[in-house]
Amino acid sequence: QLVSTQSTGAAPALAQYDSLYQQWLHKSNPDGDEPTLKSLGSGSDYAAFINMGGISCIDLTFVGPYYTYHTEFDNYHYLSNYADPDMNATKSVAEVAAVVLFELANERTVPLSATSYAKYVSDTVLNSRLKTDLAEEDIDSEILEKAIRKFVANAEEYEKSRPKFEDQKRMHMELRRYNDQMLQMERSFLYNHGLPGRPQNRHMLFAPSVLDSYSGSVFPGLFDAVVMAKDSNDPAHWNEVKKQLTIATWVTRAAARALSSKVFPN
């Protein structure tokens, strides 16, 4: 969220907005204070990096009518003559990408927001039907909710200490440790055995759902297991739900520990 906010704030908008950031906010979350980010799926080349390596990725795109997608007419001629004849959208995406690369290369602290990350997880899970569905089967979701609350709290504490590490006087190893915490937080969601039947998808938080392999899902192993258990008359399917609930809790706790100041006191 942090690097995308900075980069879109510097890029020109395509319509009656002061910046691309304002256009993004209006289109994605008109009643909110911040634009929304969607979870990544597996529909592009970043899939291997996020799903297997736990490497943070970003997908930059404009949303609009693009009727030739995945056809032989999906080419530069169509783009430059019909989809984006003035190349304004293409230019804006290129400028955002350039600023993102510049910020990542030059900022002292990794310009990614742990708070936005954690709150996205919290809002998505806690606003879903997960707790209700589990309660109907006498499965307590409190262990996961408690882990998520701890993740959010540690993320907020981590971000509060960021200004200290942006000080040029901070020692190199202190700065390296702070940045490594952010990188380790993402990798904490990796699970060596992967999702059920899909060992290549090792990121337990952001991975494609087995019900929709193209779009992203939060804790797909858990949510997919719940859907399949509800659709089945076999009570044994709820054992898989319990297993996935345990895995989701475990990786969330690991992410919270990665951001904790108790691991490396500031």
Side-chain angles (χ1 to χ4, degrees):
Q1 183 80 51
L2 184 59
V3 69
S4 58
T5 297
Q6 294 172 343
S7 59
T8 54
L14 301 186
Q16 67 278 13
Y17 305 97
D18 294 333
S19 67
L20 190 59
Y21 176 85
Q22 293 296 329
Q23 184 175 352
W24 176 26
L25 173 62
H26 177 77
K27 294 294 184 180
S28 66
N29 189 20
D31 298 324
D33 297 326
E34 294 182 342
T36 57
L37 292 172
K38 295 182 179 180
S39 58
L40 296 172
S42 61
S44 194
D45 299 336
Y46 54 71
F49 293 96
I50 183 66
N51 294 334
M52 299 182 67
I55 299 172
S56 297
C57 300
I58 187 171
D59 185 22
L60 302 175
T61 182
F62 271 96
V63 179
Y66 196 61
Y67 307 111
T68 63
Y69 187 54
H70 280 185
T71 72
E72 61 181 303
F73 300 103
D74 186 3
N75 52 36
Y76 180 78
H77 174 78
Y78 178 81
L79 171 68
S80 59
N81 286 276
Y82 301 102
D84 188 20
D86 296 323
M87 302 300 282
N88 288 328
T90 304
K91 177 175 179 290
S92 291
V93 170
E95 289 182 1
V96 170
V99 173
V100 167
L101 291 174
F102 180 83
E103 296 290 346
L104 289 172
N106 288 278
E107 290 289 336
R108 285 178 58 82
T109 59
V110 177
L112 303 177
S113 172
T115 303
S116 295
Y117 193 114
K119 287 185 175 180
Y120 177 83
V121 176
S122 176
D123 292 344
T124 303
V125 174
L126 299 183
N127 291 332
S128 71
R129 282 187 47 85
L130 180 65
K131 184 173 184 177
T132 301
D133 290 339
L134 295 182
E136 290 175 354
E137 299 296 325
D138 294 325
I139 301 175
D140 189 1
S141 62
E142 176 60 23
I143 57 170
L144 176 58
E145 294 173 11
K146 182 178 180 181
I148 291 175
R149 289 195 295 269
K150 184 63 175 176
F151 182 33
V152 172
N154 284 5
E156 291 174 343
E157 181 183 9
Y158 175 86
E159 289 299 334
K160 286 179 181 178
S161 64
R162 182 183 293 271
K164 294 190 297 184
F165 292 94
E166 292 175 341
D167 186 348
Q168 295 288 337
K169 297 179 181 180
R170 299 294 292 198
M171 298 295 292
H172 171 73
M173 290 308 297
E174 291 180 317
L175 179 63
R176 173 64 184 271
R177 182 264 300 169
Y178 182 82
N179 286 331
D180 281 353
Q181 283 184 266
M182 175 67 77
L183 302 181
Q184 186 57 41
M185 181 272 290
E186 183 79 78
R187 293 168 186 165
S188 296
F189 288 102
L190 295 180
Y191 180 64
N192 286 338
H193 298 287
L195 292 171
R198 296 178 292 159
Q200 74 277 11
N201 290 324
R202 302 195 305 139
H203 202 292
M204 294 294 101
L205 178 60
F206 295 129
S209 165
V210 72
L211 306 174
D212 182 359
S213 62
Y214 208 66
S215 62
S217 177
V218 172
F219 288 127
L222 175 57
F223 281 87
D224 286 349
V226 171
V227 172
M228 288 186 284
K230 291 175 66 176
D231 290 342
S232 172
N233 294 322
D234 186 359
H237 279 81
W238 288 101
N239 291 331
E240 181 64 29
V241 173
K242 294 176 183 178
K243 176 182 177 181
Q244 293 301 320
L245 177 63
T246 301
I247 294 172
T249 301
W250 180 69
V251 295
T252 304
R253 287 174 175 173
R257 286 195 299 271
L259 295 176
S260 175
S261 61
K262 294 181 180 179
V263 178
F264 298 106
N266 296 330

